[in-house]
mmCIF file of all heavy atoms in Angstrom:
data_model
loop_
_atom_site.group_PDB
_atom_site.id
_atom_site.type_symbol
_atom_site.label_atom_id
_atom_site.label_comp_id
_atom_site.label_asym_id
_atom_site.label_seq_id
_atom_site.Cartn_x
_atom_site.Cartn_y
_atom_site.Cartn_z
ATOM 1 N N TRP A 35 6.799 56.689 -33.748
ATOM 2 C CA TRP A 35 7.449 56.861 -35.069
ATOM 3 C C TRP A 35 6.454 56.691 -36.216
ATOM 4 O O TRP A 35 6.520 57.371 -37.219
ATOM 5 C CB TRP A 35 8.606 55.849 -35.194
ATOM 6 C CG TRP A 35 9.447 56.045 -36.425
ATOM 7 C CD1 TRP A 35 10.497 56.909 -36.559
ATOM 8 C CD2 TRP A 35 9.312 55.386 -37.687
ATOM 9 N NE1 TRP A 35 11.010 56.824 -37.825
ATOM 10 C CE2 TRP A 35 10.309 55.899 -38.545
ATOM 11 C CE3 TRP A 35 8.449 54.411 -38.183
ATOM 12 C CZ2 TRP A 35 10.475 55.464 -39.855
ATOM 13 C CZ3 TRP A 35 8.600 53.985 -39.499
ATOM 14 C CH2 TRP A 35 9.602 54.511 -40.322
ATOM 15 N N PRO A 71 9.188 54.619 -19.844
ATOM 16 C CA PRO A 71 10.583 54.798 -20.267
ATOM 17 C C PRO A 71 10.654 54.995 -21.783
ATOM 18 O O PRO A 71 9.853 54.417 -22.523
ATOM 19 C CB PRO A 71 11.255 53.478 -19.862
ATOM 20 C CG PRO A 71 10.284 52.769 -18.980
ATOM 21 C CD PRO A 71 8.927 53.250 -19.365
ATOM 22 N N GLY A 73 13.570 55.571 -25.192
ATOM 23 C CA GLY A 73 14.918 55.741 -25.730
ATOM 24 C C GLY A 73 14.829 56.655 -26.938
ATOM 25 O O GLY A 73 14.491 57.830 -26.831
ATOM 26 N N GLY A 74 15.091 56.082 -28.125
ATOM 27 C CA GLY A 74 15.077 56.893 -29.334
ATOM 28 C C GLY A 74 13.696 57.097 -29.928
ATOM 29 O O GLY A 74 13.537 57.787 -30.927
ATOM 30 N N ASN A 75 12.681 56.466 -29.336
ATOM 31 C CA ASN A 75 11.285 56.578 -29.796
ATOM 32 C C ASN A 75 11.134 56.111 -31.249
ATOM 33 O O ASN A 75 10.413 56.725 -32.026
ATOM 34 C CB ASN A 75 10.768 58.017 -29.632
ATOM 35 C CG ASN A 75 9.250 58.075 -29.641
ATOM 36 O OD1 ASN A 75 8.564 57.059 -29.498
ATOM 37 N ND2 ASN A 75 8.706 59.265 -29.837
ATOM 38 N N THR A 76 11.828 55.034 -31.594
ATOM 39 C CA THR A 76 11.691 54.465 -32.943
ATOM 40 C C THR A 76 10.893 53.162 -32.929
ATOM 41 O O THR A 76 10.801 52.479 -33.955
ATOM 42 C CB THR A 76 13.065 54.167 -33.569
ATOM 43 O OG1 THR A 76 13.693 53.105 -32.827
ATOM 44 C CG2 THR A 76 13.966 55.378 -33.579
ATOM 45 N N GLY A 77 10.344 52.803 -31.790
ATOM 46 C CA GLY A 77 9.640 51.523 -31.665
ATOM 47 C C GLY A 77 8.423 51.458 -32.575
ATOM 48 O O GLY A 77 7.836 52.479 -32.936
ATOM 49 N N GLY A 81 5.127 51.274 -27.728
ATOM 50 C CA GLY A 81 5.554 50.946 -26.366
ATOM 51 C C GLY A 81 6.089 52.138 -25.591
ATOM 52 O O GLY A 81 6.046 52.159 -24.359
ATOM 53 N N SER A 139 17.130 51.753 -38.072
ATOM 54 C CA SER A 139 16.953 52.938 -37.223
ATOM 55 C C SER A 139 18.187 53.239 -36.388
ATOM 56 O O SER A 139 18.106 54.009 -35.426
ATOM 57 C CB SER A 139 15.762 52.692 -36.289
ATOM 58 O OG SER A 139 15.960 51.471 -35.580
ATOM 59 N N THR A 144 18.255 53.688 -29.321
ATOM 60 C CA THR A 144 19.270 53.636 -28.258
ATOM 61 C C THR A 144 19.497 52.188 -27.835
ATOM 62 O O THR A 144 18.620 51.339 -28.005
ATOM 63 C CB THR A 144 18.791 54.413 -27.028
ATOM 64 O OG1 THR A 144 17.595 53.766 -26.537
ATOM 65 C CG2 THR A 144 18.492 55.869 -27.362
ATOM 66 N N ASN A 148 16.984 49.060 -27.557
ATOM 67 C CA ASN A 148 17.290 47.794 -28.253
ATOM 68 C C ASN A 148 17.182 46.618 -27.290
ATOM 69 O O ASN A 148 16.624 45.574 -27.630
ATOM 70 C CB ASN A 148 18.701 47.811 -28.839
ATOM 71 C CG ASN A 148 18.940 48.919 -29.839
ATOM 72 O OD1 ASN A 148 20.047 49.418 -29.962
ATOM 73 N ND2 ASN A 148 17.897 49.332 -30.553
ATOM 74 N N SER A 150 15.533 46.602 -24.392
ATOM 75 C CA SER A 150 14.179 46.497 -23.839
ATOM 76 C C SER A 150 13.201 45.896 -24.828
ATOM 77 O O SER A 150 12.153 45.383 -24.433
ATOM 78 C CB SER A 150 13.698 47.875 -23.377
ATOM 79 O OG SER A 150 14.598 48.370 -22.406
ATOM 80 N N THR A 151 13.505 45.984 -26.133
ATOM 81 C CA THR A 151 12.650 45.333 -27.141
ATOM 82 C C THR A 151 13.276 44.031 -27.645
ATOM 83 O O THR A 151 12.716 43.390 -28.535
ATOM 84 C CB THR A 151 12.437 46.248 -28.365
ATOM 85 O OG1 THR A 151 13.722 46.620 -28.894
ATOM 86 C CG2 THR A 151 11.658 47.508 -28.009
ATOM 87 N N ALA A 153 15.823 43.766 -29.673
ATOM 88 C CA ALA A 153 15.843 44.059 -31.108
ATOM 89 C C ALA A 153 16.601 42.978 -31.886
ATOM 90 O O ALA A 153 17.494 42.307 -31.359
ATOM 91 C CB ALA A 153 16.497 45.422 -31.332
ATOM 92 N N GLY A 154 16.221 42.837 -33.147
ATOM 93 C CA GLY A 154 16.835 41.823 -34.003
ATOM 94 C C GLY A 154 17.716 42.463 -35.059
ATOM 95 O O GLY A 154 18.902 42.664 -34.860
ATOM 96 N N GLY A 155 17.127 42.775 -36.203
ATOM 97 C CA GLY A 155 17.887 43.443 -37.254
ATOM 98 C C GLY A 155 18.494 42.476 -38.248
ATOM 99 O O GLY A 155 18.062 41.330 -38.383
ATOM 100 N N GLU A 204 10.228 45.617 -22.440
ATOM 101 C CA GLU A 204 9.626 46.863 -22.942
ATOM 102 C C GLU A 204 9.317 47.868 -21.824
ATOM 103 O O GLU A 204 8.248 48.507 -21.821
ATOM 104 C CB GLU A 204 8.371 46.553 -23.757
ATOM 105 C CG GLU A 204 8.679 45.653 -24.958
ATOM 106 C CD GLU A 204 7.456 45.363 -25.809
ATOM 107 O OE1 GLU A 204 6.804 46.312 -26.248
ATOM 108 O OE2 GLU A 204 7.159 44.173 -26.029
ATOM 109 N N GLY A 205 10.229 47.968 -20.878
ATOM 110 C CA GLY A 205 10.080 48.982 -19.831
ATOM 111 C C GLY A 205 9.000 48.679 -18.806
ATOM 112 O O GLY A 205 8.643 49.549 -18.014
ATOM 113 N N VAL A 210 16.336 50.215 -17.741
ATOM 114 C CA VAL A 210 17.733 49.883 -18.038
ATOM 115 C C VAL A 210 18.519 51.190 -18.090
ATOM 116 O O VAL A 210 18.145 52.114 -18.829
ATOM 117 C CB VAL A 210 17.841 49.150 -19.393
ATOM 118 C CG1 VAL A 210 19.297 48.901 -19.758
ATOM 119 C CG2 VAL A 210 17.055 47.852 -19.361
ATOM 120 N N HIS A 383 13.931 39.502 -42.610
ATOM 121 C CA HIS A 383 15.186 38.839 -42.293
ATOM 122 C C HIS A 383 15.009 37.329 -42.504
ATOM 123 O O HIS A 383 14.922 36.563 -41.539
ATOM 124 C CB HIS A 383 15.564 39.161 -40.858
ATOM 125 C CG HIS A 383 15.386 40.624 -40.486
ATOM 126 N ND1 HIS A 383 16.106 41.630 -41.082
ATOM 127 C CD2 HIS A 383 14.571 41.240 -39.595
ATOM 128 C CE1 HIS A 383 15.749 42.801 -40.550
ATOM 129 N NE2 HIS A 383 14.815 42.579 -39.649
ATOM 130 N N GLU A 429 10.484 40.705 -33.516
ATOM 131 C CA GLU A 429 11.544 41.588 -33.025
ATOM 132 C C GLU A 429 11.020 42.944 -32.563
ATOM 133 O O GLU A 429 11.770 43.701 -31.951
ATOM 134 C CB GLU A 429 12.627 41.781 -34.099
ATOM 135 C CG GLU A 429 12.109 42.363 -35.397
ATOM 136 C CD GLU A 429 13.198 42.668 -36.426
ATOM 137 O OE1 GLU A 429 14.352 42.274 -36.213
ATOM 138 O OE2 GLU A 429 12.874 43.308 -37.438
ATOM 139 N N ASN A 466 5.378 51.556 -17.166
ATOM 140 C CA ASN A 466 4.787 51.409 -18.502
ATOM 141 C C ASN A 466 3.448 50.658 -18.484
ATOM 142 O O ASN A 466 3.281 49.645 -19.194
ATOM 143 C CB ASN A 466 5.777 50.719 -19.449
ATOM 144 C CG ASN A 466 5.756 51.370 -20.827
ATOM 145 O OD1 ASN A 466 4.987 52.311 -21.065
ATOM 146 N ND2 ASN A 466 6.576 50.888 -21.731
HETATM 147 C C1 FAD B 508 13.383 52.536 -40.038
HETATM 148 C C2 FAD B 508 13.275 51.573 -38.889
HETATM 149 C C3 FAD B 508 13.849 50.318 -38.997
HETATM 150 C C4 FAD B 508 13.770 49.414 -37.939
HETATM 151 N N1 FAD B 508 14.350 48.184 -38.080
HETATM 152 C C5 FAD B 508 14.298 47.313 -37.049
HETATM 153 C C6 FAD B 508 14.904 46.032 -37.162
HETATM 154 O O1 FAD B 508 15.473 45.664 -38.186
HETATM 155 N N2 FAD B 508 14.858 45.220 -36.087
HETATM 156 C C7 FAD B 508 14.241 45.585 -34.925
HETATM 157 O O2 FAD B 508 14.241 44.807 -33.969
HETATM 158 N N3 FAD B 508 13.629 46.779 -34.806
HETATM 159 C C8 FAD B 508 13.634 47.646 -35.827
HETATM 160 N N4 FAD B 508 13.020 48.858 -35.708
HETATM 161 C C9 FAD B 508 12.261 49.178 -34.484
HETATM 162 C C10 FAD B 508 13.035 49.972 -33.405
HETATM 163 O O3 FAD B 508 14.076 50.735 -33.957
HETATM 164 C C11 FAD B 508 13.553 49.010 -32.327
HETATM 165 O O4 FAD B 508 12.456 48.446 -31.643
HETATM 166 C C12 FAD B 508 14.500 49.664 -31.309
HETATM 167 O O5 FAD B 508 15.074 48.640 -30.525
HETATM 168 C C13 FAD B 508 13.807 50.662 -30.396
HETATM 169 O O6 FAD B 508 14.800 51.418 -29.710
HETATM 170 P P1 FAD B 508 14.450 52.875 -29.153
HETATM 171 O O7 FAD B 508 15.627 53.379 -28.394
HETATM 172 O O8 FAD B 508 13.965 53.750 -30.232
HETATM 173 O O9 FAD B 508 13.276 52.539 -28.124
HETATM 174 P P2 FAD B 508 11.880 53.260 -27.911
HETATM 175 O O10 FAD B 508 11.070 53.249 -29.150
HETATM 176 O O11 FAD B 508 12.088 54.583 -27.264
HETATM 177 O O12 FAD B 508 11.221 52.266 -26.840
HETATM 178 C C14 FAD B 508 10.872 50.956 -27.191
HETATM 179 C C15 FAD B 508 10.377 50.209 -25.934
HETATM 180 O O13 FAD B 508 11.442 50.043 -25.014
HETATM 181 C C16 FAD B 508 11.179 50.725 -23.791
HETATM 182 N N5 FAD B 508 12.449 51.352 -23.400
HETATM 183 C C17 FAD B 508 13.227 52.179 -24.132
HETATM 184 N N6 FAD B 508 14.356 52.473 -23.469
HETATM 185 C C18 FAD B 508 14.276 51.822 -22.275
HETATM 186 C C19 FAD B 508 15.138 51.711 -21.149
HETATM 187 N N7 FAD B 508 16.307 52.337 -21.103
HETATM 188 N N8 FAD B 508 14.733 50.940 -20.107
HETATM 189 C C20 FAD B 508 13.543 50.301 -20.131
HETATM 190 N N9 FAD B 508 12.686 50.364 -21.184
HETATM 191 C C21 FAD B 508 13.063 51.113 -22.236
HETATM 192 C C22 FAD B 508 10.065 51.690 -24.087
HETATM 193 O O14 FAD B 508 9.271 51.938 -22.933
HETATM 194 C C23 FAD B 508 9.300 50.952 -25.164
HETATM 195 O O15 FAD B 508 8.438 50.020 -24.572
HETATM 196 C C24 FAD B 508 13.084 49.775 -36.751
HETATM 197 C C25 FAD B 508 12.510 51.045 -36.642
HETATM 198 C C26 FAD B 508 12.597 51.935 -37.690
HETATM 199 C C27 FAD B 508 11.984 53.294 -37.506
#
Side-chain angles (χ1 to χ4, degrees):
W35 187 85
N75 199 15
T76 67
S139 54
T144 62
N148 300 149
S150 301
T151 56
E204 300 182 55
V210 176
H383 316 296
E429 59 175 9
N466 221 359

